[in-house]
CSV table of all heavy atoms in Angstrom, one decimal:
chain,number,residue,atom,x,y,z
A,956,ASP,N,-28.9,32.6,5.3
A,956,ASP,CA,-29.7,31.4,4.7
A,956,ASP,C,-28.9,30.8,3.6
A,956,ASP,O,-28.9,31.3,2.5
A,956,ASP,CB,-31.0,32.0,4.3
A,956,ASP,CG,-32.0,30.9,3.8
A,956,ASP,OD1,-31.5,29.8,3.3
A,956,ASP,OD2,-33.2,31.2,3.6
A,957,PHE,N,-28.2,29.7,3.9
A,957,PHE,CA,-27.3,29.1,2.9
A,957,PHE,C,-28.1,28.5,1.7
A,957,PHE,O,-27.5,28.6,0.6
A,957,PHE,CB,-26.4,28.1,3.6
A,957,PHE,CG,-25.6,28.6,4.7
A,957,PHE,CD1,-25.7,28.2,5.9
A,957,PHE,CD2,-24.6,29.5,4.3
A,957,PHE,CE1,-24.9,28.7,6.9
A,957,PHE,CE2,-23.8,30.1,5.3
A,957,PHE,CZ,-23.9,29.7,6.6
A,958,ALA,N,-29.3,28.0,1.9
A,958,ALA,CA,-30.0,27.5,0.7
A,958,ALA,C,-30.3,28.6,-0.2
A,958,ALA,O,-30.2,28.4,-1.4
A,958,ALA,CB,-31.3,26.9,1.2
A,959,ARG,N,-30.7,29.8,0.3
A,959,ARG,CA,-31.0,31.0,-0.5
A,959,ARG,C,-29.7,31.5,-1.2
A,959,ARG,O,-29.8,32.0,-2.3
A,959,ARG,CB,-31.6,32.0,0.4
A,959,ARG,CG,-32.4,33.1,-0.4
A,959,ARG,CD,-33.2,33.9,0.5
A,959,ARG,NE,-34.1,34.7,-0.2
A,959,ARG,CZ,-35.0,35.5,0.4
A,959,ARG,NH1,-35.2,35.5,1.7
A,959,ARG,NH2,-35.8,36.3,-0.4
A,960,MET,N,-28.6,31.3,-0.7
A,960,MET,CA,-27.3,31.8,-1.2
A,960,MET,C,-26.9,31.0,-2.4
A,960,MET,O,-26.3,31.5,-3.4
A,960,MET,CB,-26.2,31.8,-0.2
A,960,MET,CG,-24.9,32.5,-0.5
A,960,MET,SD,-23.9,32.6,0.9
A,960,MET,CE,-24.7,33.7,2.0
A,961,GLY,N,-27.3,29.7,-2.4
A,961,GLY,CA,-27.0,28.9,-3.6
A,961,GLY,C,-25.5,28.8,-3.9
A,961,GLY,O,-24.7,28.4,-3.0
A,962,ASN,N,-25.1,29.1,-5.2
A,962,ASN,CA,-23.7,29.0,-5.5
A,962,ASN,C,-23.0,30.3,-5.5
A,962,ASN,O,-21.8,30.3,-5.9
A,962,ASN,CB,-23.7,28.5,-7.1
A,962,ASN,CG,-24.0,27.0,-7.2
A,962,ASN,OD1,-23.6,26.2,-6.3
A,962,ASN,ND2,-24.8,26.7,-8.2
A,963,LEU,N,-23.5,31.3,-4.9
A,963,LEU,CA,-22.8,32.6,-4.7
A,963,LEU,C,-21.7,32.3,-3.6
A,963,LEU,O,-21.9,31.6,-2.6
A,963,LEU,CB,-23.8,33.7,-4.2
A,963,LEU,CG,-24.6,34.3,-5.3
A,963,LEU,CD1,-25.6,35.3,-4.6
A,963,LEU,CD2,-23.8,34.9,-6.4
A,964,LYS,N,-20.6,32.9,-3.7
A,964,LYS,CA,-19.5,32.9,-2.8
A,964,LYS,C,-19.4,34.4,-2.2
A,964,LYS,O,-19.0,35.3,-2.9
A,964,LYS,CB,-18.2,32.5,-3.4
A,964,LYS,CG,-17.9,31.1,-3.5
A,964,LYS,CD,-18.7,30.4,-4.6
A,964,LYS,CE,-18.2,30.8,-6.0
A,964,LYS,NZ,-18.9,30.2,-7.1
A,965,VAL,N,-19.9,34.6,-1.0
A,965,VAL,CA,-20.1,36.0,-0.5
A,965,VAL,C,-19.2,36.2,0.7
A,965,VAL,O,-19.2,35.5,1.7
A,965,VAL,CB,-21.6,36.2,0.0
A,965,VAL,CG1,-21.8,37.6,0.4
A,965,VAL,CG2,-22.6,35.8,-1.2
A,966,GLY,N,-18.4,37.3,0.5
A,966,GLY,CA,-17.5,37.7,1.6
A,966,GLY,C,-18.0,39.0,2.2
A,966,GLY,O,-18.6,40.0,1.4
A,967,VAL,N,-18.0,39.2,3.5
A,967,VAL,CA,-18.6,40.4,4.1
A,967,VAL,C,-17.5,41.0,5.1
A,967,VAL,O,-16.8,40.2,5.8
A,967,VAL,CB,-19.9,40.1,4.9
A,967,VAL,CG1,-20.5,41.3,5.4
A,967,VAL,CG2,-20.8,39.2,4.1
A,968,LEU,N,-17.4,42.3,5.1
A,968,LEU,CA,-16.4,43.0,5.9
A,968,LEU,C,-17.0,44.2,6.5
A,968,LEU,O,-17.9,44.9,6.0
A,968,LEU,CB,-15.2,43.4,5.0
A,968,LEU,CG,-14.1,44.4,5.6
A,968,LEU,CD1,-12.8,44.0,4.9
A,968,LEU,CD2,-14.4,45.8,5.4
A,969,GLY,N,-16.6,44.4,7.8
A,969,GLY,CA,-16.9,45.7,8.6
A,969,GLY,C,-15.8,46.1,9.5
A,969,GLY,O,-15.1,45.2,10.0
A,970,ARG,N,-15.7,47.4,9.7
A,970,ARG,CA,-14.7,47.8,10.5
A,970,ARG,C,-15.0,47.7,12.1
A,970,ARG,O,-16.2,47.9,12.4
A,970,ARG,CB,-14.4,49.4,10.3
A,970,ARG,CG,-13.7,49.7,9.1
A,970,ARG,CD,-13.4,51.2,9.2
A,970,ARG,NE,-12.6,51.6,8.0
A,970,ARG,CZ,-13.0,52.2,7.0
A,970,ARG,NH1,-14.3,52.4,6.8
A,970,ARG,NH2,-12.2,52.6,6.0
A,971,HIS,N,-14.0,47.3,12.9
A,971,HIS,CA,-14.1,47.5,14.3
A,971,HIS,C,-14.0,48.8,14.8
A,971,HIS,O,-13.3,49.7,14.2
A,971,HIS,CB,-13.1,46.5,15.0
A,971,HIS,CG,-13.4,45.1,15.0
A,971,HIS,ND1,-14.2,44.5,15.9
A,971,HIS,CD2,-13.0,44.1,14.0
A,971,HIS,CE1,-14.3,43.2,15.6
A,971,HIS,NE2,-13.5,42.9,14.6
A,972,SER,N,-14.8,49.1,15.8
A,972,SER,CA,-14.8,50.5,16.4
A,972,SER,C,-14.0,50.6,17.7
A,972,SER,O,-14.1,51.5,18.4
A,972,SER,CB,-16.2,50.9,16.7
A,972,SER,OG,-16.9,50.0,17.7
A,973,ASP,N,-13.1,49.7,18.0
A,973,ASP,CA,-12.3,49.6,19.1
A,973,ASP,C,-10.9,50.4,19.0
A,973,ASP,O,-10.2,50.4,20.0
A,973,ASP,CB,-11.9,48.3,19.6
A,973,ASP,CG,-11.3,47.4,18.6
A,973,ASP,OD1,-10.8,47.9,17.6
A,973,ASP,OD2,-11.2,46.2,18.8
A,974,GLY,N,-10.8,51.1,17.9
A,974,GLY,CA,-9.5,51.9,17.7
A,974,GLY,C,-8.3,51.1,17.2
A,974,GLY,O,-7.3,51.7,17.0
A,975,THR,N,-8.5,49.8,17.0
A,975,THR,CA,-7.3,49.1,16.5
A,975,THR,C,-7.0,49.2,15.0
A,975,THR,O,-6.0,48.8,14.6
A,975,THR,CB,-7.6,47.6,16.8
A,975,THR,OG1,-8.7,47.1,16.1
A,975,THR,CG2,-7.7,47.3,18.3
A,976,GLY,N,-8.1,49.6,14.3
A,976,GLY,CA,-8.0,49.6,12.8
A,976,GLY,C,-8.2,48.3,12.2
A,976,GLY,O,-8.2,48.1,11.0
A,977,ASP,N,-8.6,47.3,13.0
A,977,ASP,CA,-9.0,46.0,12.5
A,977,ASP,C,-10.3,46.0,11.8
A,977,ASP,O,-11.2,46.8,12.0
A,977,ASP,CB,-9.0,45.0,13.6
A,977,ASP,CG,-7.6,44.6,14.2
A,977,ASP,OD1,-6.7,45.1,13.7
A,977,ASP,OD2,-7.6,43.8,15.1
A,978,VAL,N,-10.4,45.0,11.0
A,978,VAL,CA,-11.8,44.7,10.3
A,978,VAL,C,-12.3,43.3,10.7
A,978,VAL,O,-11.4,42.4,11.1
A,978,VAL,CB,-11.7,44.9,8.8
A,978,VAL,CG1,-11.3,46.3,8.4
A,978,VAL,CG2,-10.8,43.9,8.1
A,979,GLU,N,-13.5,42.9,10.6
A,979,GLU,CA,-14.0,41.7,10.8
A,979,GLU,C,-14.5,41.1,9.4
A,979,GLU,O,-15.1,41.9,8.7
A,979,GLU,CB,-15.3,41.7,11.8
A,979,GLU,CG,-15.6,40.4,12.2
A,979,GLU,CD,-14.7,39.6,13.2
A,979,GLU,OE1,-14.0,40.3,13.9
A,979,GLU,OE2,-14.6,38.4,13.1
A,980,VAL,N,-14.2,39.9,9.1
A,980,VAL,CA,-14.6,39.4,7.9
A,980,VAL,C,-15.2,38.0,8.1
A,980,VAL,O,-14.9,37.2,9.0
A,980,VAL,CB,-13.2,39.1,7.0
A,980,VAL,CG1,-13.5,38.4,5.7
A,980,VAL,CG2,-12.6,40.5,6.6
A,981,ARG,N,-16.2,37.8,7.2
A,981,ARG,CA,-16.8,36.4,7.3
A,981,ARG,C,-17.0,36.0,5.7
A,981,ARG,O,-17.2,36.8,4.8
A,981,ARG,CB,-18.2,36.4,7.9
A,981,ARG,CG,-18.1,36.7,9.4
A,981,ARG,CD,-19.5,36.8,10.1
A,981,ARG,NE,-20.1,35.4,10.2
A,981,ARG,CZ,-21.3,35.2,10.6
A,981,ARG,NH1,-22.0,36.2,11.2
A,981,ARG,NH2,-21.8,33.9,10.8
A,982,ALA,N,-16.8,34.7,5.5
A,982,ALA,CA,-16.9,34.2,4.2
A,982,ALA,C,-17.9,33.0,4.1
A,982,ALA,O,-17.8,32.0,4.9
A,982,ALA,CB,-15.4,33.6,3.8
A,983,PHE,N,-18.8,33.0,3.1
A,983,PHE,CA,-19.8,32.1,3.0
A,983,PHE,C,-19.7,31.5,1.6
A,983,PHE,O,-19.8,32.2,0.6
A,983,PHE,CB,-21.1,32.7,3.2
A,983,PHE,CG,-21.3,33.4,4.6
A,983,PHE,CD1,-21.4,34.8,4.5
A,983,PHE,CD2,-21.2,32.7,5.7
A,983,PHE,CE1,-21.4,35.5,5.7
A,983,PHE,CE2,-21.3,33.4,6.9
A,983,PHE,CZ,-21.4,34.8,6.9
A,984,ALA,N,-19.6,30.1,1.5
A,984,ALA,CA,-19.4,29.4,0.2
A,984,ALA,C,-20.2,28.1,0.2
A,984,ALA,O,-19.5,27.0,0.0
A,984,ALA,CB,-18.0,29.3,-0.2
A,985,PRO,N,-21.4,28.1,0.4
A,985,PRO,CA,-22.1,26.8,0.5
A,985,PRO,C,-22.0,26.0,-0.8
A,985,PRO,O,-22.0,24.8,-0.7
A,985,PRO,CB,-23.6,27.2,0.9
A,985,PRO,CG,-23.8,28.7,0.3
A,985,PRO,CD,-22.4,29.2,0.6
A,986,GLY,N,-21.9,26.6,-2.0
A,986,GLY,CA,-21.8,25.9,-3.2
A,986,GLY,C,-20.5,25.1,-3.3
A,986,GLY,O,-20.4,24.3,-4.1
A,987,PHE,N,-19.5,25.5,-2.5
A,987,PHE,CA,-18.2,24.7,-2.4
A,987,PHE,C,-18.2,23.7,-1.3
A,987,PHE,O,-17.2,23.1,-1.0
A,987,PHE,CB,-17.1,25.7,-2.1
A,987,PHE,CG,-16.6,26.5,-3.2
A,987,PHE,CD1,-15.6,27.4,-3.1
A,987,PHE,CD2,-17.2,26.3,-4.5
A,987,PHE,CE1,-15.1,28.2,-4.2
A,987,PHE,CE2,-16.7,27.0,-5.6
A,987,PHE,CZ,-15.7,28.0,-5.4
Side-chain angles (χ1 to χ4, degrees):
D956 182 337
F957 297 118
R959 200 165 188 176
M960 195 171 290
N962 286 322
L963 287 177
K964 278 74 71 182
V965 182
V967 189
L968 175 147
R970 285 189 174 101
H971 281 276
S972 57
D973 57 8
T975 61
D977 287 0
V978 301
E979 190 73 34
V980 171
R981 294 179 72 181
F983 307 111
F987 283 176

